Amino acid sequence: MAFYPSFIIVDDHPLYRQGVVTLVQQELNLKLEGEAGSITEALELLSQRRVDLAIIDISLQEKSGLELIKIIKNDYPQVKVLVVSMHEESLYGERALAAGALGYVMKHERPEVLLNAIRTVLDGRIAVSDHLRDRMLSGIVGGHASKDPIERLSDRELEVFRLIGKGYSAAEIAEALHLSVKTINAYRDHIKEKLNLSSASDLRRYAVDWIASRERL
């Protein structure tokens, strides 16, 4: 009997999940073990099913998909992770690979790109665009000095920064990330320092402008 790898998809947009599931099942004959819209749902699936591949978005309901990738790498090392996201690979691609993913694909790419990335990741190899591969190699060979100050932020700081840009208050960010307001304020201070911003209003303005120009949400 033929063996077909199994997969789950973690994305908080049901219509997008349905499209990817249909494509993957029709073209690659992978076995669907379940769909999840949050980290909690994803971890429940992983604890109950045998999963070979997890297709994950960066933006999830509870926390960043980067957190889920780190959990999978630590608790389910046999599961290969492919990130499929609307967020720019120049900012999130290297972060996803550092967290434990084997590949990163932008959502606007052609279906063939996604399918090839899935094949590559299931084979245990890295699946990224030529641009990101060249960028990573350049960083290894000659050091990586990015002109984008946002890249100075840690994964958690970037998550807080994005929520600030979406208009969340410190209390709302704390609730969303299951942290204390004191901790969020500490993150905000670190972000201001790294971005050379002097006030909370400057930070909020910077974050709102960044969201509008980079993520287009």
Side-chain angles (χ1 to χ4, degrees), residues 82-83 89 92-94 96-97 101-106 109 113 116-117 120-121 125-137:
L82 172 64
V83 174
E89 67 171 12
Y92 282 96
E94 291 184 63
L97 295 183
L102 283 178
Y104 195 100
V105 175
M106 298 282 290
E109 292 286 3
V113 175
N116 286 334
T120 300
V121 167
R125 295 180 290 121
I126 300 296
V128 296
S129 70
D130 290 340
H131 173 75
L132 181 56
R133 189 180 300 275
D134 290 344
R135 174 188 174 90
M136 294 171 64
L137 289 174

Side-chain angles (χ1 to χ4, degrees), residues 142-170:
H144 178 48
S146 173
K147 295 181 180 180
D148 186 354
I150 301 301
E151 293 193 19
R152 302 172 193 160
L153 304 181
S154 69
D155 291 344
R156 179 65 85 185
E157 289 167 351
L158 179 59
E159 193 172 14
V160 172
F161 178 78
R162 288 186 60 251
L163 292 175
I164 291 172
K166 291 185 175 185
Y168 284 54
S169 67

Side-chain angles (χ1 to χ4, degrees), residues 28-174:
L28 301 178
N29 292 319
L30 269 60
K31 179 184 177 184
L32 177 67
E33 289 292 348
E35 301 178 28
S38 68
I39 289 180
T40 300
E41 293 175 357
L43 293 178
E44 184 175 355
L45 286 174
L46 289 166
S47 69
Q48 296 176 353
R49 311 291 179 86
R50 188 195 65 78
V51 177
D52 298 300
L53 172 70
I55 301 173
I56 296 174
D57 189 10
I58 290 292
S59 296
L60 298 174
Q61 294 172 357
E62 299 164 306
K63 296 182 180 179
S64 167
L66 294 174
E67 295 298 314
L68 176 58
I69 297 169
K70 293 173 184 176
I71 294 172
I72 292 175
K73 181 179 181 180
N74 184 65
D75 296 346
Y76 304 95
Q78 76 282 2
V79 178
K80 297 177 174 67
V81 175
L82 172 64
V83 174
V84 182
S85 178
M86 65 175 289
H87 299 305
E88 293 184 32
E89 67 171 12
S90 62
L91 183 62
Y92 282 96
E94 291 184 63
R95 292 174 185 267
L97 295 183
L102 283 178
Y104 195 100
V105 175
M106 298 282 290
K107 282 187 175 181
H108 62 67
E109 292 286 3
R110 303 184 312 279
E112 293 80 8
V113 175
L114 173 59
L115 294 172
N116 286 334
I118 291 173
R119 295 186 186 99
T120 300
V121 167
L122 283 173
D123 197 37
R125 295 180 290 121
I126 300 296
V128 296
S129 70
D130 290 340
H131 173 75
L132 181 56
R133 189 180 300 275
D134 290 344
R135 174 188 174 90
M136 294 171 64
L137 289 174
S138 295
I140 294 172
V141 173
H144 178 48
S146 173
K147 295 181 180 180
D148 186 354
I150 301 301
E151 293 193 19
R152 302 172 193 160
L153 304 181
S154 69
D155 291 344
R156 179 65 85 185
E157 289 167 351
L158 179 59
E159 193 172 14
V160 172
F161 178 78
R162 288 186 60 251
L163 292 175
I164 291 172
K166 291 185 175 185
Y168 284 54
S169 67
E172 290 170 333
I173 297 173

